[in-house]
Amino acid sequence: QVQLVESGGGSVQAGGSLRLSCAASGYTFSSNCMAWFRQAADKEREVVMAVYRGGGRPFYAASVKGRFTFSEDNVANTMSLQMNTLKPEDTGTYYCAAVCGQGPYGFDYWGEGALVTVSP
């Protein structure tokens, strides 16, 4: 049974930083696709960044490129998203996702989400 658990959400003022982490059980992150998505109130879920195994560099959405950085710890089996220079429009619930497949937005497993609130 694969489980993903996010941590690190919170509230911050614009220009601040937060770091999200996602811990996996029943699954090895380094073996397959992984991603971070976010969903703001009354908006569609959108991809923030994604790593697709088999080559290529991590993909970042244009809105976060240069401000957000993905990292993974293969020993601890966690992945993280360092978010710097946060903006109010970054507010939303952030989800980690793993394993490319037939699930929503092309990922089979999802965490329950971590709320990020950025105030002006």
Side-chain angles (χ1 to χ4, degrees), residues 33 50-59:
C33 313
V51 175
Y52 297 98
R53 300 305 179 185
R57 299 168 65 180
F59 162 83

Side-chain angles (χ1 to χ4, degrees), residues 38 48 60 64 66-69 81-84 86 90 94:
R38 69 184 180 188
V48 175
Y60 291 91
V64 307
R67 299 187 297 121
F68 290 13
T69 304
L81 186 69
Q82 178 65 41
M83 306 183 292
N84 297 329
L86 283 160
D90 294 317
Y94 284 68

